Amino acid sequence: MNENPSQESRDRMESAVGCLLAVVGVTVAGAFALPRAAYSIDGGFEAQARDWGVILVDLPLILFAGLVVPPLTWAAGNRRLRPWTAALVCVAVAGLALWGLATWWHPPQNPNPRHGPGI
């Protein structure tokens, strides 16, 4: 058997890694954003504080960025760098994106965190 992988198998591997990064990216973005937006989705007492802007704009854009940014970073980095270096660049960009999101995005929070949901 030939030890060097063919170009077709290498392309399939790169595509599979890109798909895996998309799934991981949207999962991490959802795990980061959904707890922060829980009060905007629930709305507090009698849903008075429900924020439709968070539900219809912010969350879909955050999840879309989590879906798109890691594979695009992987594809761009994989053209010039070795695969492990491209993966490190992808992780660094995703970490910077989450840090920027945590710095910029502050959805409304429960005004009294000691009390949980009602009866």
Side-chain angles (χ1 to χ4, degrees), residues 46-108:
E46 293 183 353
Q48 292 175 351
R50 182 169 288 153
D51 188 1
W52 289 101
V54 171
I55 298 168
L56 297 175
V57 177
D58 293 348
L59 284 178
L61 286 176
I62 291 168
L63 294 175
F64 180 72
L67 182 71
V68 172
V69 169
L72 287 179
T73 306
W74 165 259
N78 208 17
R79 291 194 178 268
R80 300 237 182 223
L81 305 171
R82 293 178 185 242
W84 64 271
T85 311
L88 288 177
V89 169
C90 184
V91 168
V93 167
L96 285 173
L98 287 177
W99 173 74
L101 183 63
T103 303
W104 170 75
W105 186 55
H106 299 289

Side-chain angles (χ1 to χ4, degrees), residues 16-59:
V17 169
C19 291
L20 179 66
L21 285 172
V23 169
V24 169
V26 78
T27 303
V28 169
F32 177 79
L34 288 174
R36 292 178 65 131
Y39 183 71
S40 298
I41 295 170
D42 180 37
F45 179 69
E46 293 183 353
Q48 292 175 351
R50 182 169 288 153
D51 188 1
W52 289 101
V54 171
I55 298 168
L56 297 175
V57 177
D58 293 348
L59 284 178

